Amino acid sequence: MPDWIVQLLITLLKGVGVALGLLTTFAYMTLIERRLLARMQIRLGPNRVGPMGLLQPLADAIKSIFKEDLTVTLADKLVYTLAPIIAIGCALTAFGGLPAGPPGSLFGADPWVYNLDAGLLALLAITSMGVYGIFLGGWASGSKYPILGGLRSSAQMISYELGMGLSVLGLLMLVGSTSFHAITHWQANNGWMILFQLTAFVLFLISSFAETNRTPFDLPEAEQEIVAGYLTEYSAIKWALFQMAEYVNMITASAVMSTLFFGGYRGPEFLEGLIPGIASWPYIWLFIKIAAFLFLFIWVRATLPRLRYDQLMRFGWKLLLPVALANTVLTAGIIAFSTGRLRVWLLILLGVAGVALLIGFSDRVRVLWTAPTVRREDTNLTPARPTGGD
């Protein structure tokens, strides 16, 4: 058999394995999230289906598959059907470029589906295309609430992708490459990136919440305002595909933050003195870091209220984007005019100072996104009739 066919088959098998792994993780993440939220709210959560409720995801899957699949009369049938497929397709594709271990650690094969030199740029591009699924789903539903949810999602994605892209520019200047492998190796030699780009990590984390439509940025499906947003007219398996896309995007965002700022698949280097080789064990460290970020997503959902839509947009444009731009410019200046230990300490101080200023001046800068618009009354208009009748 030709070598290229063997490589193609191996790649296909890895792709199928990643897809099955992500979908299985999604299924049990729904259970874990419901149990954790119940714990935080002093409830029990789902515990009836199977031992300790472990078969609840299977019951949910069977219910979604066999429920009646309703279609709105005015919906564009083709686009209405394609939208959830686009959303889950982009979500699954994005994860394949992240390395889960060193080369050859997957039974002799490389533990990633594809390896691109422009890995980070490709991932940002693929995840950006996922918004087409949400917007097209809202537009094709033939109803006013879905189109409002789709428009909200489009504006939100564009606003926060700018801040997300700017936040990683300092990281890319330090590493000199957009390859995830190069970023991981740089951190193995120099330390985790969060030490040198703390402000960038905070900005990237906030943007990740907005990109995945998670609380407090879940405006596209705000049930108190627009029923369920872009999901309003979806049911059965199509609705489940959108839910899969959201959770898979959450897992991908967790993996990206682990790779960019916490060393990726490599563990803490100081453990090498205790157990030689433990820092380079494949899969384990990346999975632990992903689990920690997923817990953070759930914790924030149980803690914070939803922002108003005007607050969401003001926060992205008036705070997140300028701070990301300032961090990029200052990082570039430090890299250009300092070397050695001085550069390291300046980058650490920049990150700590940036986060400290954001926290310390939070009350003062909050007016940038929370101040409501006050309309002055027109004194030339006839005064309103007093209450109480004629």
Side-chain angles (χ1 to χ4, degrees):
M1 186 180 293
D3 184 62
W4 68 271
I5 295 181
V6 174
Q7 293 300 320
L8 178 61
L9 291 175
I10 292 174
T11 302
L12 287 175
L13 286 174
K14 289 191 290 186
V16 171
V18 167
L20 291 176
L22 287 172
L23 295 180
T24 304
T25 306
F26 147 73
Y28 278 93
M29 267 303 299
T30 59
L31 175 62
I32 293 169
E33 179 167 22
R34 292 162 72 182
R35 293 296 294 270
L36 283 175
L37 290 175
R39 180 80 174 179
M40 294 173 183
Q41 297 166 356
I42 320 178
R43 297 186 289 109
L44 292 177
N47 61 353
R48 298 296 183 186
V49 186
M52 297 185 295
L54 291 177
L55 295 181
Q56 184 67 48
L58 179 61
D60 292 338
I62 294 172
K63 180 184 71 173
S64 297
I65 292 171
F66 289 101
K67 281 182 70 174
E68 183 180 3
D69 189 8
L70 302 175
T71 303
V72 181
T73 305
L74 298 178
D76 186 314
K77 303 293 191 298
L78 177 61
V79 180
Y80 179 83
T81 304
L82 284 177
I85 298 174
I86 293 172
I88 187 61
C90 292
L92 292 173
T93 304
F95 193 91
L98 294 167
S105 59
L106 182 63
F107 305 106
D110 296 329
W112 54 80
V113 180
Y114 57 87
N115 179 22
L116 301 176
D117 290 336
L120 180 56
L121 296 180
L123 185 138
L124 292 176
I126 293 170
T127 54
S128 300
M129 290 179 65
V131 72
Y132 282 101
I134 295 175
F135 177 73
L136 291 176
W139 174 80
S141 294
S143 178
K144 60 181 179 182
Y145 289 123
I147 191 65
L148 285 173
L151 289 172
R152 281 184 170 192
S153 181
S154 302
Q156 180 174 318
M157 294 285 185
I158 293 170
S159 302
Y160 283 84
E161 277 174 0
L162 290 173
M164 177 180 280
L166 277 175
S167 67
V168 297
L169 284 183
L171 177 152
L172 297 180
M173 286 187 284
L174 283 171
V175 177
S177 173
T178 57
S179 169
F180 287 115
H181 302 277
I183 294 171
T184 303
H185 292 319
W186 189 93
Q187 293 180 86
N189 297 326
N190 300 277
W192 286 358
M193 187 61 71
I194 190 173
L195 298 173
F196 311 101
Q197 288 289 287
L198 180 59
T199 305
F201 166 69
V202 173
L203 298 175
F204 195 92
L205 178 64
I206 296 172
S207 300
S208 297
F209 276 90
E211 289 289 299
T212 53
N213 295 330
R214 295 286 297 186
T215 306
F217 301 103
D218 55 338
L219 274 299
E221 47 184 298
E223 63 272 9
Q224 292 91 343
E225 304 167 19
I226 50 176
V227 186
Y230 64 94
L231 290 169
T232 301
E233 306 297 350
Y234 279 94
S235 62
I237 193 64
K238 294 190 182 75
W239 177 89
L241 287 176
F242 273 121
Q243 295 302 307
M244 289 180 196
E246 177 178 324
Y247 278 87
V248 171
N249 281 328
M250 222 166 70
I251 298 167
T252 302
S254 301
V256 171
M257 287 186 284
S258 302
T259 302
L260 294 182
F261 297 99
F262 290 91
Y265 62 82
R266 295 189 62 87
E269 298 296 329
F270 67 85
L271 294 177
E272 290 282 349
L274 301 175
I275 304 176
I278 188 174
S280 57
W281 285 359
Y283 315 115
I284 296 175
W285 294 109
L286 182 62
F287 292 166
I288 291 173
K289 296 168 187 175
I290 290 174
F293 277 112
L294 290 176
F295 176 78
L296 179 62
F297 275 103
I298 297 170
W299 191 8
V300 169
R301 178 180 179 181
T303 306
L304 297 181
R306 180 185 297 129
L307 296 174
R308 291 198 318 265
Y309 190 69
D310 61 311
Q311 292 175 335
L312 172 90
M313 299 303 289
R314 287 195 188 107
F315 184 82
W317 288 100
K318 291 188 175 183
L319 182 69
L320 198 73
L321 184 63
V323 173
L325 182 60
N327 180 71
T328 301
V329 173
L330 291 174
T331 301
I334 291 173
I335 294 173
F337 298 107
S338 63
T339 57
R341 288 185 175 274
L342 176 61
R343 174 188 293 180
V344 171
W345 283 108
L346 286 176
L347 289 172
I348 293 174
L349 289 174
L350 173 64
V352 173
V355 175
L357 287 174
L358 285 176
I359 296 174
F361 289 91
S362 59
D363 286 335
R364 296 189 179 183
V365 299
R366 191 179 297 147
V367 297
L368 292 176
W369 68 86
T370 58
T373 302
V374 180
R375 295 182 179 179
R376 297 180 180 178
E377 296 183 1
D378 193 341
T379 56
N380 296 325
L381 297 178
T382 304
R385 186 172 60 182
T387 57
D390 297 330

